[in-house]
Amino acid sequence: MAGAVSARTLFAPLGPTYDRYAAALSFGQDPRWRRFLVSRIDVGSADTVLDVATGTGAVARELLRQKGCTVVGLDQSPEMLAEARRRLPDNVELVEGTADQLPFPDASFDALTFTYLLRYVSDPAATLRELARVVRPGATIAGLEFAVPHGVWRPWWELYVRVVLPLAGRGISPGWAEVGDFLGPSIRNFYERWPEQRLLELWEAAGIAGAKSQRLSLGGGIVTWGRRA
């Protein structure tokens, strides 16, 4: 996971400030996207959900709030997991690991969420297959990613990621300056290689039936979900 290694290096130092500045730099949309992501998950209080790329545990907390389910969080960054541990209840299990080699048996979970993951893996198709492997048949899988807006909003998005975001990052800290420089090209390059329809085809090919996407906030975020066949 070469892309994942760079992501770990980039975001590992930002754990204590990540949620606050992710919300600010997205004009408050990042928390709303996470709430919508969790709303797509079909589980009850007796079910167990795996949250992949859990980071500081924001989606895990939302799963607890909305669904009252049991949550297992997985992330490759021990620094992010340490921050998640500080914020989450003790009964949330946190596991260090990577999305392309999940340390769980087949059909271990009743649902799965992931956030800002597919840009950082070397083989999105293989990673989606691995995610599908660990959930039971019929279980919901849902993912949140950044997206590139269409139409009239595209030039405004380009202005933001090329000028505003890098400047804002420099105003926060050297670590956030790196993020500000990185995000725009990373998102743009990913969707040039994997347009929305092609990604939906990858979900279906991974054994996730009925995959559908919904763009949020003028197209800046996208949530995709389906059921394990």
Side-chain angles (χ1 to χ4, degrees):
M1 292 177 68
V5 172
S6 64
R8 176 177 173 178
T9 303
L10 186 66
F11 289 101
L14 306 181
T17 64
Y18 182 84
D19 289 356
R20 179 168 73 253
Y21 287 120
L25 295 173
S26 66
F27 301 106
Q29 297 309 293
D30 177 76
R32 187 171 79 87
W33 297 345
R34 294 173 189 266
R35 290 194 296 270
F36 182 78
L37 168 71
V38 171
S39 76
R40 302 299 90 193
I41 293 294
D42 182 17
V43 291
S45 59
D47 293 325
T48 300
V49 180
L50 176 63
D51 182 40
V52 176
T54 197
T56 60
V59 169
R61 293 195 299 276
E62 191 62 27
L63 283 162
L64 295 173
R65 188 188 73 82
Q66 281 193 37
K67 307 296 183 178
C69 56
T70 298
V71 180
V72 176
L74 177 137
D75 202 277
Q76 63 168 350
S77 167
E79 295 88 353
M80 283 289 191
L81 288 174
E83 188 63 23
R85 180 77 286 155
R86 190 178 69 81
R87 300 178 185 212
L88 290 167
D90 291 341
N91 62 351
V92 175
E93 181 183 358
L94 296 175
V95 178
E96 185 178 340
T98 60
D100 58 352
Q101 291 183 313
L102 295 171
F104 307 108
D106 296 355
S108 300
F109 297 96
D110 301 299
L112 184 148
T113 53
F114 65 88
T115 309
Y116 307 136
L117 171 68
L118 296 181
R119 282 182 297 118
Y120 299 115
V121 299
S122 58
D123 188 342
T127 298
L128 284 167
R129 290 194 298 270
E130 177 68 355
L131 299 177
R133 179 186 66 79
V134 300
V135 300
R136 60 172 175 78
T140 313
I141 298 172
L144 165 63
E145 303 284 351
F146 289 117
V148 178
H150 297 317
V152 67
W153 301 112
R154 175 66 183 266
W156 292 102
W157 181 87
E158 292 287 353
L159 176 66
Y160 181 70
V161 300
R162 291 177 186 271
V163 179
V164 179
L165 188 58
L167 287 175
R170 285 171 176 76
I172 297 170
S173 72
W176 280 102
E178 287 188 64
V179 172
D181 290 336
F182 167 82
L183 277 181
S186 172
I187 298 165
R188 188 187 303 108
N189 293 341
F190 180 77
Y191 281 98
E192 286 174 358
R193 289 184 290 122
W194 299 103
E196 187 174 336
Q197 185 56 43
R198 178 66 179 124
L199 277 176
L200 286 174
E201 292 170 1
L202 288 188
W203 281 62
E204 294 282 351
I208 308 168
K212 62 184 71 173
S213 294
Q214 182 163 328
R215 286 175 168 261
L216 303 170
S217 305
L218 308 177
I222 187 167
V223 171
T224 306
W225 68 96
R227 290 186 180 273
R228 174 72 169 92

